Amino acid sequence: MNTEALISSHRLLPHPFEGHWRETEHEDGSYRAGLHLLTATEEAGWHTVDAEVTLTLEEGGPASVALSHTGVTAYGHKLLAPGDSLKIGPGVLRSLSCLGAYVLLKVRIAPDVAVGERQLMPDDWFPNPEGRPKR
């Protein structure tokens, strides 16, 4: 399926930072859930959110998730097949990349945090022992 067909079939809208998004569930103060689409040319840069985030691969993939608990070191996790899931704790820095043509993720955020309320790192930031951006 091409990107335009995916966007249309899932009724996705442009995400404020990257890719496309549609909220599918929302209970004020409790949780927010939705679908997030990234294509091979898109990635979610390093960011954090003050909530637990669960990512589940719905279609496409694989997806690569880089995580940093400290801002000093990072490690990776891959979502390879539909149904693969990853929980990320509050305050953990993460970035997300599509390793195929596209990746459609189900995202659950608890407690409820609006999509635009995440903390973005500068574009050139990457975890490292010196705490400085790698260029």
Side-chain angles (χ1 to χ4, degrees):
M1 188 179 287
N2 68 35
T3 303
E4 293 79 25
L6 279 165
I7 292 168
S8 176
S9 70
H10 292 288
R11 302 182 320 275
L12 303 173
L13 299 171
H15 187 279
F17 304 111
E18 72 286 309
H20 287 78
W21 163 266
R22 177 175 60 91
E23 186 173 284
T24 57
E25 299 175 58
H26 183 202
E27 186 176 311
D28 279 342
S30 182
Y31 74 94
R32 178 181 306 265
L35 294 172
H36 191 189
L37 174 72
L38 292 175
T39 64
T41 60
E42 299 168 319
E43 72 175 6
W46 285 97
H47 65 282
T48 187
V49 66
D50 291 328
E52 181 178 89
V53 176
T54 303
L55 303 173
T56 304
L57 181 59
E58 291 290 304
E59 295 179 37
S64 175
V65 184
L67 303 168
S68 178
H69 291 274
T70 63
V72 175
T73 59
Y75 62 96
H77 187 88
K78 290 182 183 171
L79 302 174
L80 299 172
D84 286 356
S85 187
L86 175 66
K87 279 189 181 182
I88 305 169
V92 176
L93 288 154
R94 80 284 315 257
S95 68
L96 176 66
S97 300
C98 172
L99 300 178
Y102 72 92
V103 62
L104 182 67
L105 298 165
K106 182 176 183 180
V107 180
R108 187 175 193 281
I109 304 166
D112 175 26
V113 175
V115 173
E117 291 181 23
R118 63 185 189 180
Q119 299 156 1
L120 298 172
M121 302 304 288
D123 287 342
D124 62 352
W125 186 89
F126 189 86
N128 72 80
E130 291 82 37
R132 296 187 308 263
K134 290 191 175 188
R135 298 183 193 265

